[in-house]
Amino acid sequence: MAKKYNRDMPLPSSDGLFGNPKNKSVVILPKTDYDRDFAPKEGKFLKPDINRPSYIDEYGDSRSEYKMGINHKGKEVLIPTVVNGKQLSEKEAIKRYQKTGYHMGKFKNVADAEKAAEYRTAKYNMLADPVRYKKK
């Protein structure tokens, strides 16, 4: 199972290892912007990623990816609302999008954005639990 990060944990080195900083194969990095420094992306588009930093919600579930849609320059844009293991308010998420440009897709209309959000969630679930989605 993939290691889940939270904002207080060291992130993996380029070889994906965690551990004692005295071990030369491991690098403990300072707190950083995961989307900027580690997230798989194409330009400003954030790909589904099971290693995004997460937080524990009031029900005890781990949450690493929520998204919301905004209309920006005539396009429906999906933007992340969980960033570096923290749930952002709508205002914070919009401000972050305006500052960084990071998004989870840009679409012609709300219906297309909703379909893409459902597909992204399904793809994320498949990445998180590939055995469950294995073809029979």
Side-chain angles (χ1 to χ4, degrees):
M1 179 179 218
K3 181 74 174 171
K4 300 285 185 197
Y5 305 122
N6 68 43
R7 64 184 311 114
D8 297 319
M9 291 175 59
L11 294 170
S13 64
S14 60
D15 59 5
L17 298 174
F18 290 85
N20 185 334
K22 293 177 185 175
N23 178 343
K24 294 183 186 211
S25 67
V26 176
V27 176
I28 301 215
L29 301 171
K31 291 181 186 176
T32 184
D33 184 330
Y34 180 86
D35 289 342
R36 181 191 67 219
D37 298 334
F38 300 102
K41 55 190 169 284
E42 292 175 6
K44 298 290 183 174
F45 172 72
L46 300 170
K47 295 180 178 182
D49 177 15
I50 61 173
N51 293 316
R52 289 179 67 84
S54 62
Y55 74 97
I56 305 299
D57 69 12
E58 64 272 14
Y59 304 106
D61 296 324
S62 177
R63 302 290 181 201
S64 63
E65 185 172 294
Y66 276 139
K67 51 204 148 300
M68 62 180 267
I70 61 170
N71 190 289
H72 182 74
K73 297 182 180 179
K75 297 268 187 185
E76 190 66 17
V77 182
L78 293 178
I79 60 174
T81 61
V82 175
V83 176
N84 294 324
K86 178 185 174 211
Q87 177 68 52
L88 303 181
S89 69
E90 285 186 17
K91 278 185 173 181
E92 290 171 322
I94 292 168
K95 187 176 180 179
R96 183 171 188 276
Y97 169 70
Q98 292 168 338
K99 181 180 176 185
T100 67
Y102 293 138
H103 64 89
M104 296 173 167
K106 295 182 180 183
F107 306 92
K108 292 186 285 186
N109 54 53
V110 173
D112 288 350
E114 287 174 352
K115 286 179 189 174
E118 289 174 12
Y119 174 76
R120 184 180 177 93
T121 298
K123 187 170 185 176
Y124 176 88
N125 289 336
M126 184 180 70
L127 290 170
D129 190 2
V131 173
R132 181 173 159 204
Y133 291 91
K134 183 178 175 184
K135 287 186 177 184
K136 294 181 181 182

